[in-house]
Amino acid sequence: MKVSIVIVTMNHLSKLKNLLDSLFGKEQTKLKHEVIVVDNCSEDGTVDFVRAEYPNVIVHENEQIKGFAANNNKGVSLAKGEYVFICNPDIIVFPGSIDTLIRYHDRNPSVGIVCPQLLNSDKTYQASVRRFMNAKIIALRVLLKGNDATNNKIVRKYLLDDFDKSKIQPVDWAMGAALVLKRDFYLKLKGFDERFFLYVEDVDLCLRSWKLGFSVVYNPEARMIHDHQRASFNGINRKSIMHLRSMIYFLKKHKLFFSSPSYVH
């Protein structure tokens, strides 16, 4: 088994259908693979649909709601592939993209994590890579309400304002919507930190990869649509508070209140 595709879903059936269409269509990966769906107590018929329409998919049903980290760790615990592809249900995989990421990883043993170029639903570029944060950056992001169009120089640097999106290159961290890494390396990292219930666990995973000496690489030769909903920045709500708590835990864990590491210059 070359790659295990791990999908965590919770009431995302309409989007999951599009993802599964892309994974099982005529242009699906040529690599020997398996698909694992971890269902986080969906109430929209997800489990029945997947079992009826895609009987070869491995389905794990949660008995209680769990966080993003715990659910992905469960999915990987069921995996048999040399690689794992952590994939959100709101992803649509372009033909050949999984093969491209794994082929690149195979040829570059110093890489820990590789990610594709993500696109919005209209196929415009979606910013999905960043520099690492510190307390000052987080405070500015909160004050500016997560506005990516700000002219603040500190935030622009954090957002990789000078990023060449057409170039294969190392990045500090990449969004956890679509990540490829070797299963053994995932286990060496002990997976996602389950003390993050939602948000920032991807930043933490990438930082721990860098700390072990393995780079995080953005590869735009692989492209995927990410129908991303930034709910955490739509005013003060439960998700925005959860996001802030995760950021504070990240700062405490890595002692990044006054400085932030940058493995890419």
Side-chain angles (χ1 to χ4, degrees), residues 41-52:
C41 303
S42 294
E43 298 177 344
D44 60 356
T46 291
V47 171
D48 290 341
F49 171 82
V50 173
R51 286 181 170 157

Side-chain angles (χ1 to χ4, degrees), residues 148-175:
D148 288 351
T150 178
N151 291 321
N152 183 281
K153 291 182 179 180
I154 295 173
V155 175
R156 300 258 35 104
K157 182 177 180 181
Y158 162 73
L159 294 174
L160 292 175
D161 194 36
D162 56 350
F163 182 69
D164 182 354
K165 59 182 178 289
S166 66
K167 177 183 175 184
I168 297 175
Q169 60 192 291
V171 293
D172 278 352
W173 68 272
M175 191 182 295

Side-chain angles (χ1 to χ4, degrees), residues 9-246:
T9 186
M10 182 177 178
N11 296 320
H12 290 107
L13 180 56
S14 61
K15 294 182 180 181
L16 181 65
K17 287 179 179 179
N18 294 329
L19 169 59
L20 293 174
D21 282 347
S22 71
L23 292 176
F24 288 95
K26 294 180 180 179
E27 302 296 331
Q28 65 180 283
T29 175
K30 296 178 175 63
L31 302 171
K32 186 176 182 182
H33 64 284
E34 62 183 357
V35 177
I36 300 168
V37 170
V38 178
D39 184 76
N40 200 23
C41 303
S42 294
E43 298 177 344
D44 60 356
T46 291
V47 171
D48 290 341
F49 171 82
V50 173
R51 286 181 170 157
E53 300 297 326
Y54 298 94
N56 292 329
V57 169
I58 299 166
V59 178
H60 172 80
E61 291 183 79
N62 282 352
E63 294 181 355
Q64 60 185 27
I65 293 173
K66 297 181 180 179
F68 179 88
N71 283 315
N72 277 290
N73 290 347
K74 179 61 183 181
V76 175
S77 76
L78 302 173
K80 298 177 182 177
E82 177 187 353
Y83 285 92
V84 291
F85 172 35
I86 303 298
C87 182
N88 274 15
D90 53 5
I91 290 285
I92 298 176
V93 179
F94 283 18
S97 290
I98 295 174
D99 307 61
T100 295
L101 293 176
I102 291 178
R103 185 166 56 246
Y104 178 84
H105 209 316
D106 273 340
R107 294 173 179 173
N108 295 275
S110 64
V111 171
I113 301 170
V114 61
C115 69
Q117 181 184 89
L118 295 184
L119 305 174
N120 296 308
S121 297
D122 60 2
K123 297 186 180 180
T124 57
Y125 173 74
Q126 182 179 111
S128 61
V129 295
R130 298 280 189 264
R131 286 189 169 91
F132 288 121
M133 63 188 76
N134 57 29
K136 186 173 184 178
I137 292 169
I138 290 175
L140 286 169
R141 293 289 279 165
V142 171
L143 289 171
L144 296 169
K145 299 180 180 179
N147 179 16
D148 288 351
T150 178
N151 291 321
N152 183 281
K153 291 182 179 180
I154 295 173
V155 175
R156 300 258 35 104
K157 182 177 180 181
Y158 162 73
L159 294 174
L160 292 175
D161 194 36
D162 56 350
F163 182 69
D164 182 354
K165 59 182 178 289
S166 66
K167 177 183 175 184
I168 297 175
Q169 60 192 291
V171 293
D172 278 352
W173 68 272
M175 191 182 295
L179 301 174
V180 167
L181 60 166
K182 285 195 171 181
R183 181 168 58 90
D184 286 349
F185 185 60
Y186 187 96
L187 297 176
K188 185 176 181 178
L189 290 169
K190 298 182 180 179
F192 287 106
D193 182 345
E194 296 185 14
R195 285 169 289 186
F196 295 100
F197 185 83
L198 189 64
Y199 304 116
V200 192
E201 59 280 287
D202 44 8
V203 190
D204 173 73
L205 188 78
C206 290
L207 179 51
R208 288 187 283 122
S209 179
W210 278 110
K211 285 184 173 181
L212 289 180
F214 292 88
S215 61
V216 178
V217 173
Y218 161 87
N219 187 338
E221 293 179 2
R223 300 165 74 232
M224 303 178 188
I225 289 175
H226 182 213
D227 186 11
H228 183 38
Q229 304 296 323
R230 292 185 59 189
S232 64
F233 283 108
N234 292 333
I236 301 300
N237 54 43
R238 185 176 64 87
K239 288 189 175 182
S240 64
I241 293 170
M242 193 180 299
H243 199 162
L244 182 58
R245 286 177 176 171
S246 291

